[in-house]
Amino acid sequence: MEPNAYCCNGRKAKSGTNQIKSPYGGIIYLIPKVAKPGIKTSINVSGAVSTPSFVRGRTTNEEWHNSVKNNPAPWGELIGDHVIFTLPKESLLTMENPEALIEQWDEIAESYNTFVGIDRKSPLPHTGLDRQHRYVADVQISAGYMHAGYPMMIPIDPAASHVVDPNLALVRGWGFWHEMGHEYQQNAWKWGDITEVSVNIYTLYIQEKFTDVQRLLQTSDDGKSHYDRAMEFVADSSTSKKFTDIDGMDQLVFFKQLQLAYGWDFYTDLHIAYREMDSKDIPTSDQQKKDMLLYMTSKVSGHDLVSFYQKWGWSITDEAIEKVRALHLPTPTVPIETLRELPVETVNDLIRSVEQFEKEGEFKGSNTSRSLKVHLTAVSHYEEQGADEKLVKHMEGFKLLLDQQKEKELISERAYKRLKADADLLLMKWQ
């Protein structure tokens, strides 16, 4: 073994033979710290057995069921291009279609990179990750139900069973998505009070992309949704109220409202803008981070968001307000603090959204909204008849109509993105 190599726990290897023992067992990994061309060494492993591990692109479903899953090690891995799960064998043995399962998990993990605007082939500062994310299941983890890090830790019971079931992976996915979100949070707009709140921007994005769940619309025992409580807070004219006075999920409405106003691309652009920030401008204290977030969100959105932040009880300095005013941006055409999701269960819900956007002046000319409503009315007839094939076909046609109106600048960006997202939500329900 090369003298400068590291053999175990950061210890340097000696020249000649190095013997490493593992008294507690576990999976053995051989990872070159820095691969060097022309350097070879011999490694002998004794007393070990093969793991029941599935590797995307190398292991087939047939190989898994015929041989690999019978490997005797008590732990194994589900290995994708973007994520790896270390799980007990009994969990892995329940996988029926590991090819499709890891493809789903890879798509979820890769979506984070797209969301924040990074790619492995892009130059700095937008270069993507150089390795897969890792989740490791264990009996007792060090903090919380799950926690972030490398690896992210999850409990064997019940989370391991959620990993290997493609349906449960989505139904019970919030914790997984939340922890991976922590891996993407930017320190320049992360501080103690909102760390566990703003991370759920990523969670909501994944939830919306892969499921038809609208968690902020869920009601508690008092019959109120997170939007209901958030709206009550915003309507409170008290000058002493603070953003952090309300529950974290109610605070999340603030971040969701920015998405409702400007689309998910808004957050992609925000991440990119922060990465491109001059190092001398990067905020360090909590107050600096709050002030900078106001400035950056205003700049990225193209609107003066001072009033929006004030109504949500943010403590912003006068200096930060003046900095935003100096941008000479218009105020939002529709007060962002009034925006909320609407339940999207049927085509009629989508028609009501069109009518709401019509009242808010989001269309040019009455024919624009009329053509959308006429098309959706036809789709609703197929919905009532249960004509699934025609239903999907004509909803795809509705999306094309939205594209045409956007190209002709007949519909606002906000209405376009919201209606298209809601159309996708219905298509997900039907398919």
Side-chain angles (χ1 to χ4, degrees):
M1 184 175 283
E2 188 185 3
N4 291 325
Y6 289 84
C7 66
C8 186
N9 293 331
R11 298 177 185 173
K12 280 191 175 183
K14 301 175 182 178
S15 296
T17 300
N18 289 266
Q19 189 177 60
I20 304 165
K21 296 181 180 180
S22 177
Y24 303 109
I27 298 177
I28 299 170
Y29 298 94
L30 303 177
I31 306 171
K33 194 173 182 71
V34 179
K36 295 182 179 180
I39 300 296
K40 293 184 178 180
T41 190
S42 297
I43 298 175
N44 298 313
V45 179
S46 62
V49 293
S50 298
T51 63
S53 294
F54 186 95
V55 184
R56 183 180 183 185
R58 285 170 47 189
T59 316
T60 65
N61 281 345
E62 184 179 10
E63 290 170 335
W64 169 256
H65 287 293
N66 290 342
S67 61
V68 177
K69 75 177 186 180
N70 298 320
N71 288 342
W75 284 73
E77 294 190 324
L78 178 62
I79 302 173
D81 297 330
H82 298 280
V83 65
I84 298 173
F85 293 92
T86 303
L87 303 168
K89 182 177 181 177
E90 55 265 29
S91 299
L92 292 165
L93 288 179
T94 65
M95 295 191 299
E96 296 179 2
N97 186 350
E99 287 181 2
L101 177 66
I102 191 57
E103 181 180 349
Q104 175 177 287
W105 276 112
D106 262 346
E107 187 179 356
I108 289 171
E110 188 177 17
S111 294
Y112 285 81
N113 300 329
T114 302
F115 182 46
V116 302
I118 60 174
D119 184 88
R120 287 176 179 172
K121 297 179 181 179
S122 297
L124 291 171
H126 309 302
T127 308
L129 309 178
D130 63 354
R131 69 199 68 187
Q132 298 106 313
H133 290 285
R134 277 187 173 274
Y135 288 94
V136 174
D138 206 346
V139 175
Q140 184 177 10
I141 62 178
S142 62
Y145 174 64
M146 298 180 178
H147 69 73
Y150 196 83
M152 290 171 275
M153 298 299 298
I154 62 175
I156 292 176
D157 183 20
S161 64
H162 300 164
V163 173
V164 294
D165 184 314
N167 294 320
L168 285 177
L170 298 180
V171 174
R172 304 293 184 189
W174 184 273
F176 295 94
W177 308 333
H178 173 98
E179 301 307 340
M180 190 173 287
H182 278 306
E183 308 297 309
Y184 288 86
Q185 281 182 294
Q186 294 175 306
N187 285 331
W189 54 291
K190 181 182 76 171
W191 59 93
D193 284 345
I194 70 160
T195 298
E196 295 298 332
V197 177
S198 60
V199 67
N200 284 324
I201 299 168
Y202 310 93
T203 323
L204 287 177
Y205 172 74
I206 297 298
Q207 183 181 68
E208 185 172 308
K209 184 172 182 178
F210 291 93
T211 79
D212 59 5
V213 176
Q214 294 172 286
R215 184 162 179 177
L216 292 178
L217 288 175
Q218 293 174 354
T219 56
S220 52
D221 293 340
D222 61 2
K224 295 180 179 179
S225 71
H226 297 293
Y227 280 103
D228 294 330
R229 285 187 290 275
M231 297 300 189
E232 289 175 358
F233 177 77
V234 169
D236 181 0
S237 60
S238 170
T239 56
S240 62
K241 70 178 182 181
K242 296 180 180 178
F243 179 68
T244 52
D245 288 344
I246 55 176
D247 178 75
M249 287 298 291
D250 299 340
Q251 293 174 40
L252 185 58
V253 173
F254 168 89
F255 292 99
K256 178 61 177 175
Q257 285 180 328
L258 286 169
Q259 183 274 323
L260 291 174
Y262 305 111
W264 285 116
D265 290 346
F266 166 81
Y267 281 113
T268 305
D269 295 339
L270 186 65
H271 280 83
I272 291 172
Y274 266 100
R275 285 198 300 271
E276 293 178 346
M277 186 183 295
D278 192 303
S279 59
K280 65 179 176 56
D281 296 326
I282 296 176
T284 54
S285 71
D286 288 1
Q287 187 59 57
Q288 289 172 344
K289 291 179 179 182
K290 295 174 188 178
D291 289 350
M292 183 60 76
L293 186 61
L294 166 63
Y295 177 79
M296 294 294 282
T297 51
S298 294
K299 190 174 180 180
V300 170
S301 69
H303 287 128
D304 183 329
L305 299 181
V306 170
S307 177
F308 175 60
Y309 276 73
Q310 289 174 331
K311 289 182 178 178
W312 267 98
W314 283 70
S315 55
I316 302 295
T317 65
D318 291 339
E319 182 183 0
I321 293 173
E322 288 305 314
K323 187 176 179 181
V324 172
R325 301 293 194 219
L327 293 173
H328 302 295
L329 299 171
T331 56
T333 53
V334 175
I336 299 175
E337 65 275 7
T338 66
L339 302 181
R340 61 187 298 159
E341 292 175 271
L342 297 174
V344 184
E345 301 291 339
T346 68
V347 176
N348 284 332
D349 292 328
L350 200 51
I351 293 174
R352 280 192 285 273
S353 292
V354 172
E355 291 171 343
Q356 182 61 37
F357 284 127
E358 187 177 17
K359 292 178 182 177
E360 295 172 357
E362 301 292 325
F363 303 113
K364 288 184 180 178
S366 58
N367 288 335
T368 304
S369 57
R370 186 182 301 117
S371 62
L372 292 174
K373 288 187 286 186
V374 167
H375 191 106
L376 288 173
T377 299
V379 178
S380 69
H381 294 323
Y382 294 122
E383 186 178 38
E384 292 169 1
Q385 296 166 9
D388 293 346
E389 188 174 334
K390 290 183 177 179
L391 188 60
V392 170
K393 178 181 177 181
H394 283 76
M395 184 55 78
E396 292 289 357
F398 173 73
K399 290 170 61 180
L400 289 175
L401 179 57
L402 287 173
D403 290 340
Q404 292 167 4
Q405 291 186 349
K406 181 176 182 292
E407 187 176 344
K408 296 177 181 177
E409 299 183 348
L410 297 174
I411 183 173
S412 72
E413 189 75 13
R414 181 171 77 90
Y416 168 76
K417 289 180 177 179
R418 177 77 174 276
L419 292 173
K420 197 158 189 179
D422 287 351
D424 285 334
L425 199 59
L426 285 176
L427 284 167
M428 192 181 299
K429 290 177 183 291
W430 299 332
Q431 295 173 330

